[in-house]
Amino acid sequence: MGCGPCLHLGASRNRRRHSPVVTRATVGCEALITSSWGIWATLACVGASALHMERSKWGKGFNAALLATVLGLVVSNLNIVPAHAPHIYGVVNSYLLPLAVPLLLFSGNLSRVLSTGRLLGSFLCATFSTVAGTMIASMLVPLTSLGADGHMVAAALTARHIGGSINYVAVTELLGVSAGARMAGLAADDVIVTLYFIALYTLAKRSGSGEENDGEQPSSVADGETQATDRIADPTISVIDGATAIGISALLCAAGSAIAQSIGYKGGSVAIITLLTVLFATFAPSSFLTPGMIASGESLGAILLQIFFASVGASGSLSVVVQTAPWLFAWSAVAVATHLIGVLVFEKLFGFPRRETCLSSNANIGGPTTAAGMAAAFNWTDMIVPSILIGILGYTIGTPIGVFMSPCIAKVFAWRMGLFSV
């Protein structure tokens, strides 16, 4: 019998000693919605609601991924849906998420990245600044409140600050981060990234580059992202293009999963699927990758990701956020601030124009859509496509760099806590 909406914040002192991440007790308190279809409907509605909220007046300062995660956390902690539903959340993680990866990366033709010229160099400098930010943040703010998940969440955030949320998800899946820690890291980082965008747009406005703006005033951050989304999404999306995109995506997922299993790469299917997709996007004939199919894939992939982020929030615990948020906020703030300082230093050293500095940084921290959104907002029309291309490069390299950084961060954390001698 249900006990109505309630918050589950309890865990035994003994369990906390083994894992600082607190889980929710479910004894005697059944969720209001327990049927499979009911949970699926809730996740779908949460994902769709987040997309609508992102376009609202008050929701423009946030992205749909953050809103879906927070809404999922709310409906779960109010006990509307259960936090533990492996028959649903497991399907999302094992099938919907991998299927979304190729759908979002069909435009990842790496041969086109070379055409971005100096912007590519600025992007690589921004990536180096992200790695430097990770190491400094890890020395100053060891994420001990997350226990064994601490260095893995930091590595996943590094991947996100190079590519995007999809890289964060891939690294957490590959490293086996617990659901609660994964959700807490994403939610805290989203807040810091929102503040980062405000600072970045302020820097861009102060660039004093009237010629590049053509005398037009930039629109807001969210308006820019919406313009970019509208530019990327082809209005001629068709059923046949969507069906083709799903079919090819499923084939890539099947191949990536089979390769990961054959080589014993546990949890690495998403990383291999990403690699296969980029290779396919780079070398496949143009007849396979039409603009309509790419646009259809991006739209379908975005929908699947919204359901995924809703499930991330639903499987999380408010107690985890309360317990770990201060440290995660601090870690992300130091990492992102160091990144921003680094890109400005490289701007002075190599003479990058301010708009290239801002776009390459945006492509790192936000991804291709937000970078193209900034270019559209400031009327840098000649930089929209290059911004998308370097953002896709971030998707490609973010996951392997994040995985590589994980043991390095673990050593820094251990050294910081006096458990490791350099």
Side-chain angles (χ1 to χ4, degrees), residues 2 18 55 207 267 294 327:
H18 290 287
R55 291 174 176 262
S207 64
I294 292 174
W327 296 107

Side-chain angles (χ1 to χ4, degrees), residues 61-403:
F62 306 95
N63 61 60
L66 171 62
L67 293 170
T69 302
V70 172
L71 285 177
L73 178 68
V74 170
V75 298
S76 176
N77 280 268
L78 289 178
N79 213 34
I80 296 173
V81 295
H84 184 69
H87 61 298
I88 303 297
Y89 306 144
V91 170
V92 173
N93 291 333
S94 299
Y95 296 99
L96 296 193
L97 172 62
L99 188 64
V101 172
L103 292 172
L104 292 168
L105 294 180
F106 282 142
S107 57
N109 187 338
L110 291 184
S111 63
R112 298 181 62 194
V113 174
L114 297 177
S115 66
T116 59
R118 188 170 53 185
L119 187 62
L120 175 59
S122 180
F123 175 81
L124 295 176
C125 289
T127 300
F128 178 84
S129 299
T130 293
V131 173
T134 290
M135 299 307 292
I136 292 174
S138 298
M139 286 188 284
L140 296 178
V141 190
L143 298 176
T144 55
S145 60
L146 291 173
D149 286 327
H151 71 280
M152 294 185 286
V153 170
L157 289 175
T158 303
R160 187 195 182 182
H161 295 164
I162 293 173
S165 297
I166 194 170
N167 299 96
Y168 177 88
V169 171
V171 174
T172 55
E173 286 290 310
L174 182 59
L175 299 180
V177 177
S178 65
R182 178 174 60 187
M183 183 277 304
L186 186 63
D189 191 62
D190 272 329
V191 175
I192 299 301
V193 168
T194 299
L195 298 176
Y196 155 84
F197 279 129
I198 295 173
L200 189 68
Y201 269 68
T202 301
L203 286 172
K205 289 177 183 178
R206 293 180 179 177
S207 64
S209 183
E211 295 179 0
E212 290 166 347
N213 289 347
D214 293 334
E216 297 187 15
Q217 293 297 319
S219 56
S220 68
V221 176
D223 287 341
E225 291 179 11
T226 300
Q227 291 177 34
T229 302
D230 292 340
R231 288 173 185 265
I232 296 170
D234 190 331
T236 60
I237 294 174
S238 67
V239 173
I240 190 169
D241 285 330
T244 303
I246 290 178
I248 294 176
S249 180
L251 288 173
L252 290 168
C253 289
S257 178
I259 292 173
Q261 186 175 4
S262 65
I263 64 177
Y265 195 10
K266 185 178 180 182
S269 59
V270 172
I272 295 179
I273 290 168
T274 301
L275 175 61
L276 292 179
T277 304
V278 172
L279 291 175
F280 176 78
T282 302
F283 298 107
S286 58
S287 58
F288 280 91
L289 289 169
T290 63
M293 198 200 84
I294 292 174
S296 298
E298 289 175 345
S299 298
L300 292 169
I303 294 170
L304 294 179
L305 272 191
Q306 284 303 107
I307 296 176
F308 167 76
F309 285 121
S311 73
V312 169
S315 61
S317 168
L318 185 61
S319 63
V320 175
V321 177
V322 172
Q323 181 183 359
T324 62
W327 296 107
L328 285 166
F329 282 139
W331 191 96
S332 290
V334 173
V336 172
T338 303
H339 163 89
L340 202 52
I341 293 171
V343 296
L344 292 175
V345 170
F346 281 119
E347 175 186 280
K348 291 293 184 182
L349 287 176
F350 298 110
F352 295 128
R354 176 58 58 86
R355 69 172 186 165
E356 292 185 3
T357 297
C358 291
L359 290 174
S360 60
S361 175
N362 197 323
N364 264 150
I365 303 296
T369 301
T370 60
M374 171 174 266
F378 282 92
N379 201 32
W380 298 333
T381 54
D382 60 316
M383 301 299 289
I384 292 175
V385 172
S387 297
I388 294 172
L389 292 174
I390 61 169
I392 292 171
L393 176 62
Y395 280 163
T396 304
I397 67 176
T399 298
I401 291 178
V403 173

